[in-house]
């Protein structure tokens, strides 16, 4: 099982810069592209394997989410079906 998020671009993202920043931080969290359909925004899928849930995974996820939100992307918790407004709220959802 995994905990899944999606980060939607609200404007044209600088994909090369974003890739460079996220690739250097990513080791445990899985990322995958979600190409836009007509009239929708590009997005990045984020999957956190729950079997590997640890402080290291959390630290990596916070770095990634910070990079995405600084670029104006909105992050949504797919399990809860709502936007992530607080990293601490997200942490409670992940680890209770």
């Amino acid at each position: 099982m995994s905990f899944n998020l999606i980060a939607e671009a609200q404007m044209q993202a600088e994909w090369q810069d974003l890739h460079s920043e996220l690739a250097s931080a990513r080791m445990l969290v899985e990322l995958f592209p979600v190409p836009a359909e007509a009239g929708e925004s590009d997005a990045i899928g984020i999957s956190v394997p729950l079997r590997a849930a640890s402080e290291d995974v959390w630290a990596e996820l916070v770095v990634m989410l910070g990079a995405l939100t600084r670029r104006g992307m909105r992050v949504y918790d797919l399990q809860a079906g709502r936007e992530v407004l607080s990293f601490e709220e997200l942490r409670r959802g992940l680890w209770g």
Side-chain angles (χ1 to χ4, degrees):
M1 292 200 54
S2 63
F3 184 78
N4 298 299
L5 305 163
I6 193 163
E8 292 183 347
Q10 300 303 304
M11 60 184 142
Q12 182 62 34
E14 295 294 329
W15 294 113
Q16 292 288 32
D17 292 340
L18 182 58
H19 177 267
S20 295
E21 185 172 350
L22 295 181
S24 65
R26 187 174 72 90
M27 294 172 53
L28 303 168
V29 175
E30 299 171 15
L31 301 176
F32 51 94
V34 181
E37 293 186 18
E40 294 184 11
S41 300
D42 285 325
I44 296 174
I46 304 162
S47 183
V48 180
L50 292 179
R51 71 182 181 297
S54 67
E55 291 301 318
D56 292 336
V57 170
W58 176 248
E60 185 176 309
L61 187 59
V62 167
V63 168
M64 289 180 175
L65 294 178
L68 295 169
T69 57
R70 278 193 307 278
R71 287 176 168 75
M73 297 181 86
R74 289 189 165 158
V75 178
Y76 296 89
D77 175 345
L78 295 178
Q79 180 179 350
R82 64 176 176 256
E83 185 174 1
V84 173
L85 301 174
S86 158
F87 289 166
E88 194 53 43
E89 180 182 328
L90 177 63
R91 182 182 172 94
R92 283 192 302 273
L94 276 170
W95 283 277

